[in-house]
Amino acid sequence: MSSASMFLEGLRLEPVHGSGDASGRLALGGKAARWEDAPSKSALEPATAQLLERLSALQDVFHADGRYALLIVFQGRDAAGKDGVIRTVCGAFNPTGVQVSAFGPPTALELRHDFLWRVHEVVPPRGVIGVFNRSHYEDVLAVRVRGLAPEDVWRARYDQINAFEQMLAENRVIIRKCFLHVSRDEQREQLQERLDDPTKNWKFRLDDLEDRARWDAYTEAYREALQRCSTEWAPWYVVPSDRKSVRNYLVARMLVETLESLPLTYPKMDDAVREAARDFK
Ligand code: ADP
């Protein structure tokens, strides 16, 4: 399949306009969780499969090149599909070059450090792709909505996050952040499935219901985080995630385009090595 059919026309994520932009309030309603007129699953899946093959080839040269790290952040409400997109899209990568980190409630030790301490420790080294299942953004989302820290503490964090991410970017960490956006109805269906399906019961947590009850407060917290922390060096993308096939396609395409934008090359063999290996057959 040519890249023309791998890149379906018009089906492409655009970064959130950051603050300072006059684009107004970011739309995070039910409509934004769907992509109107998206192709059918039967059209999307083969295109996604091609993107995943391309991603795998790009990771090979990315790893060999070794000059950049890639950090992919996944945020989303409960049951938005963070695990699913990591399994499907990041599953295209050779696991040797990938590092997945999940962020749950901080431990007692982590709480005694600054909030970025546990995050910085697992930022991928160059040549490696780091995948975050939740992230330092919980410190302006869960912490804000559940009132786990005073407002002046979490408010100061937007600038702190931007400065941290800028420092990483200046050190050749390429950062891409995806908000998996599901509608309230879709979340209800997913949570219901967790209740009904014995193989999914283990995923159901009462905390998820508490967070669902705070739907609007989370929407506001996401809106502010995405608008204040979508920067040139670390953009946020709102990924319409009510349909898994659309979500997977969009994330895979954005990652292919990100890696393709880098001047990646396979290192040339050293002349001395080639000379020493001259008689090898
Ligand atoms: P998941 O729900 O992603 O499968 P876990 O149940 O292990 O994973 O943990 C996620 C929970 O941890 C979420 O409710 C999230 O809000 C919470 N959490 C993550 N980071 C923080 C943080 N810095 N402060 C408070 N809560 C956090």
Side-chain angles (χ1 to χ4, degrees):
M1 193 186 278
S2 69
S3 62
S5 47
M6 179 165 86
F7 293 141
L8 300 170
E9 210 184 311
L11 200 63
R12 180 171 186 277
L13 294 171
E14 292 293 339
V16 169
H17 294 292
S19 47
D21 193 288
S23 61
R25 265 168 83 79
L26 180 65
L28 288 181
K31 211 170 154 221
R34 288 176 295 277
W35 191 292
E36 298 288 336
D37 312 322
S40 65
K41 190 168 156 182
S42 60
L44 284 166
E45 285 188 342
T48 304
Q50 290 295 315
L51 288 170
L52 297 185
E53 251 179 62
R54 180 84 188 115
L55 261 190
S56 171
L58 283 163
Q59 183 204 8
D60 194 63
V61 60
F62 170 85
H63 184 70
D65 180 283
R67 286 176 298 164
Y68 304 93
L70 173 63
L71 174 58
I72 314 165
V73 171
F74 290 109
Q75 279 288 160
R77 300 175 197 265
D78 299 304
K82 297 184 289 296
D83 292 332
V85 81
I86 292 171
R87 189 174 57 244
T88 310
V89 178
C90 301
F93 298 133
N94 176 347
T96 305
V98 181
Q99 190 178 286
V100 182
S101 309
F103 295 89
T107 62
L109 176 65
E110 286 166 351
L111 282 172
R112 290 170 62 200
H113 284 274
D114 68 89
F115 75 107
L116 292 169
W117 179 72
R118 67 175 183 163
V119 178
H120 202 170
E121 200 185 12
V122 290
V123 167
R126 295 184 190 118
V128 173
I129 298 174
V131 179
F132 281 5
N133 184 343
R134 303 187 189 270
S135 65
H136 42 302
Y137 282 91
E138 291 292 329
D139 291 281
V140 289
L141 294 164
V143 168
R144 167 178 175 163
V145 173
R146 297 189 205 138
L148 301 176
E151 178 161 356
D152 59 328
V153 170
W154 59 256
R155 266 215 176 275
R157 289 179 175 163
Y158 300 110
D159 289 342
Q160 292 163 1
I161 288 173
N162 285 341
F164 171 65
E165 292 179 350
Q166 182 169 22
M167 181 277 292
L168 294 179
E170 286 171 357
N171 284 276
R172 283 187 267 127
V173 182
I174 311 298
I175 306 171
R176 295 292 182 268
K177 301 175 295 196
C178 295
F179 169 51
L180 305 183
H181 178 43
V182 285
S183 64
R184 214 171 169 165
D185 287 347
E186 179 61 25
Q187 191 198 45
R188 191 188 54 237
E189 281 192 26
Q190 294 300 326
L191 291 177
Q192 188 65 51
E193 207 175 313
R194 289 182 177 186
L195 276 174
D196 297 342
D197 180 346
T199 69
K200 294 189 176 171
N201 284 173
W202 64 277
K203 292 191 191 178
F204 191 90
R205 296 177 323 134
L206 285 175
D207 285 2
D208 296 353
L209 294 186
E210 284 175 23
D211 279 348
R212 181 171 166 80
R214 302 172 177 129
W215 188 272
D216 293 339
Y218 268 105
T219 303
E220 205 39 57
Y222 267 111
R223 184 177 286 121
E224 186 159 3
L226 267 57
Q227 289 197 298
R228 293 197 55 182
C229 301
S230 189
T231 54
E232 210 179 295
W233 57 87
W236 267 111
Y237 297 87
V238 176
V239 184
S241 299
D242 271 11
R243 281 178 57 199
K244 295 184 178 70
S245 53
V246 173
R247 173 199 77 196
N248 292 342
Y249 175 85
L250 288 168
V251 172
R253 176 170 181 168
M254 185 274 289
L255 293 176
V256 163
E257 290 181 340
T258 298
L259 289 173
E260 282 186 341
S261 72
L262 301 174
L264 301 174
T265 53
Y266 284 101
K268 290 269 174 292
M269 185 178 266
D270 213 72
D271 285 347
V273 174
R274 188 171 296 285
E275 180 58 26
R278 201 174 26 143
D279 298 331
F280 176 79
K281 264 284 173 282

